[in-house]
Amino acid sequence: MKTHELEKELGISKHTIFYYEKEGIVTPQRDENGYRSYSQDDLQKLIMVKFLCNLNISIDDVKAILNNELDFKECLEINQIHLEKQIKSLEEVQENIEMYVRKDLPMLPALQQIQREAKNYKLGYQKTTDTVSLGRRLTKKLALRKFLYKIPAAITPSFIMWICAASFFDENLEKTTALIIIFVLLMILFINIFVATEFQFSQIWLKMPLDQTMNQSVEFLSDGIRYYQFHGYLNNLKYYYGVLFNKAEKYMQSYKYEDIQSVELILNHRYESYGTPIARDWYVLDYRFEFKDGNHFYFYWPFTIDDDARFIGMILDEKVENVIDKDHVIEALKNGIHLNDYMKKTED
């Protein structure tokens, strides 16, 4: 059997056949013209070699099996353990790739220092997206949930005003139709009022440790940042319905990293109180973004969860030309150190 016939029979290239010959697995005879001539024994050996190699068995182990120096089953068991380790390693690589794709992160050398970390939080403080962010972006799912939550709250005032309106109608069919319409309109009105008002109930007034609205956020993406800034009740309501109907981008601002003039990290020593005489003190950060087009954005005490603070510290350090950080807290962010622990260490 000539080389080209063997190629066709086995479905492998002549270079692979020559490699197996070099490894001493087959030793073809030469005809009068010097061409290789393979025997049926050579063919059977190469069929077995192809089978074993398809099981990811190394060529050295293949030769040992063919020479009866290694038990086939024992080799498979050893190889199975090795493959399971490889599969686990590949699964970890796949999970990391999926994480970086979801987060839409810029390429940073420091990324290798961060291991995936996800913590379990109460439902009200869980993230809504995988992107690295200050605060939590309002998503369609969250907006719909907020809308449904507002329905029970809107029933009472709507019912009271509906009773008042009922006194102006006579008892007939027109009255029933009109009252139904009035009640529905009142429900919609109060739901919208409650939704729009919620945007303004932040920790500035409630004195809570986190932004209770959680409708405002700054997302750090691969090429820049994206954020929504409160602009009053009407604009907040427009943004809310924009999110609900997949048009949120219309109401959000986006800037490339190179278009950011500066980011100031403003360290504050604040206190939280839950209606008791005892208040707990925290070191927290406010963020002030200045843009080259003259716009600016101040984010009061945004919360960060999972490992977002570390990503944010690295992105600011690598991507923003001017980071104003008089208290040097960016090192705490980059290394995942709680600000209270960091400041205590520096004070000591």
Side-chain angles (χ1 to χ4, degrees), residues 183-244:
F183 185 76
V184 172
L185 292 176
L186 287 172
M187 283 281 293
I188 295 173
L189 173 65
F190 280 107
I191 288 173
N192 286 332
I193 290 173
F194 292 150
V195 167
T197 302
E198 187 191 57
F199 277 82
Q200 305 303 125
F201 286 169
S202 71
Q203 74 281 20
I204 298 177
W205 294 279
L206 299 179
K207 298 181 180 179
M208 298 293 283
L210 299 173
D211 185 348
Q212 298 303 300
T213 66
M214 293 181 287
N215 296 320
Q216 189 165 247
S217 66
V218 177
E219 294 178 290
F220 293 80
L221 308 175
S222 59
D223 58 349
I225 67 169
R226 176 175 60 202
Y227 69 91
Y228 174 72
Q229 185 172 11
F230 294 163
H231 288 295
Y233 293 111
L234 184 58
N235 284 320
N236 292 342
L237 200 58
K238 289 180 180 179
Y239 170 61
Y240 171 82
Y241 282 106
V243 172
L244 204 56

Side-chain angles (χ1 to χ4, degrees), residues 336-347:
I337 303 173
H338 193 282
L339 289 177
N340 278 23
D341 297 331
Y342 183 76
M343 294 308 298
K344 181 180 179 180
K345 183 178 179 181
T346 56
E347 288 169 358

Side-chain angles (χ1 to χ4, degrees), residues 35 50 57 73 94 99 117 128 172 183 200 207 235 273 291-292 295 302 342:
Y35 293 111
K50 181 180 179 182
I57 297 176
K73 182 180 179 182
Q94 183 181 25
M99 177 194 71
E117 179 182 353
T128 55
N172 52 40
F183 185 76
Q200 305 303 125
K207 298 181 180 179
N235 284 320
S273 174
F291 304 105
K292 293 180 180 179
N295 285 334
Y342 183 76

Side-chain angles (χ1 to χ4, degrees), residues 45-303:
K45 281 187 177 181
L46 290 176
I47 290 174
M48 185 59 69
V49 169
K50 181 180 179 182
F51 168 72
L52 294 173
C53 287
N54 285 339
L55 294 176
N56 206 35
I57 297 176
S58 69
I59 191 65
D60 289 333
D61 287 343
V62 167
K63 290 191 291 184
I65 291 171
L66 293 177
N67 294 329
N68 295 318
E69 298 171 357
L70 178 63
D71 181 70
F72 176 55
K73 182 180 179 182
E74 181 184 356
C75 179
L76 288 179
E77 289 173 347
I78 295 172
N79 210 43
Q80 184 179 23
I81 295 172
H82 177 65
L83 286 174
E84 286 173 353
K85 291 180 179 179
Q86 284 186 312
I87 290 170
K88 185 177 179 180
S89 177
L90 288 173
E91 286 175 347
E92 291 176 356
V93 171
Q94 183 181 25
E95 289 175 0
N96 283 325
I97 290 173
E98 289 174 351
M99 177 194 71
Y100 290 129
V101 169
R102 291 195 307 270
K103 285 184 177 295
D104 192 19
L105 288 166
M107 176 56 205
L108 303 171
L111 287 179
Q112 64 173 331
Q113 302 173 16
I114 296 185
Q115 300 296 322
R116 290 186 304 109
E117 179 182 353
K119 300 176 182 178
N120 293 322
Y121 295 87
K122 294 185 296 183
L123 180 62
Y125 295 97
Q126 291 175 345
K127 291 193 68 175
T128 55
T129 65
D130 290 308
T131 55
V132 172
S133 62
L134 295 169
R136 183 177 74 168
R137 183 178 177 181
L138 181 65
T139 60
K140 182 177 181 178
K141 184 177 180 180
L142 181 58
L144 181 59
R145 191 166 76 220
K146 288 177 179 290
F147 184 87
L148 295 176
Y149 286 170
K150 296 296 181 289
I151 292 177
I155 289 177
T156 300
S158 300
F159 184 73
I160 293 173
M161 294 190 69
W162 177 76
I163 292 295
C164 295
S167 62
F168 292 97
F169 292 87
D170 296 326
E171 293 184 1
N172 52 40
L173 182 62
E174 292 181 0
K175 171 186 175 180
T176 303
T177 304
L179 288 177
I180 291 174
I181 295 173
I182 290 173
F183 185 76
V184 172
L185 292 176
L186 287 172
M187 283 281 293
I188 295 173
L189 173 65
F190 280 107
I191 288 173
N192 286 332
I193 290 173
F194 292 150
V195 167
T197 302
E198 187 191 57
F199 277 82
Q200 305 303 125
F201 286 169
S202 71
Q203 74 281 20
I204 298 177
W205 294 279
L206 299 179
K207 298 181 180 179
M208 298 293 283
L210 299 173
D211 185 348
Q212 298 303 300
T213 66
M214 293 181 287
N215 296 320
Q216 189 165 247
S217 66
V218 177
E219 294 178 290
F220 293 80
L221 308 175
S222 59
D223 58 349
I225 67 169
R226 176 175 60 202
Y227 69 91
Y228 174 72
Q229 185 172 11
F230 294 163
H231 288 295
Y233 293 111
L234 184 58
N235 284 320
N236 292 342
L237 200 58
K238 289 180 180 179
Y239 170 61
Y240 171 82
Y241 282 106
V243 172
L244 204 56
F245 294 102
N246 300 316
K247 295 183 179 179
E249 304 295 333
K250 180 179 178 182
Y251 303 97
M252 301 183 75
Q253 296 284 342
S254 296
Y255 283 93
K256 301 288 187 183
Y257 288 115
E258 56 266 27
D259 295 327
I260 300 175
Q261 182 70 37
S262 65
V263 176
E264 184 177 4
L265 307 181
I266 305 169
L267 184 68
N268 292 285
H269 197 191
R270 295 199 174 109
Y271 296 84
E272 65 176 8
S273 174
Y274 294 97
T276 65
I278 301 175
R280 184 178 179 182
D281 64 316
W282 290 81
Y283 281 100
V284 297
L285 282 177
D286 294 351
Y287 290 77
R288 181 179 178 85
F289 295 79
E290 295 282 350
F291 304 105
K292 293 180 180 179
D293 63 3
N295 285 334
H296 66 273
F297 174 52
Y298 193 98
F299 203 166
Y300 177 90
W301 198 351
F303 75 102

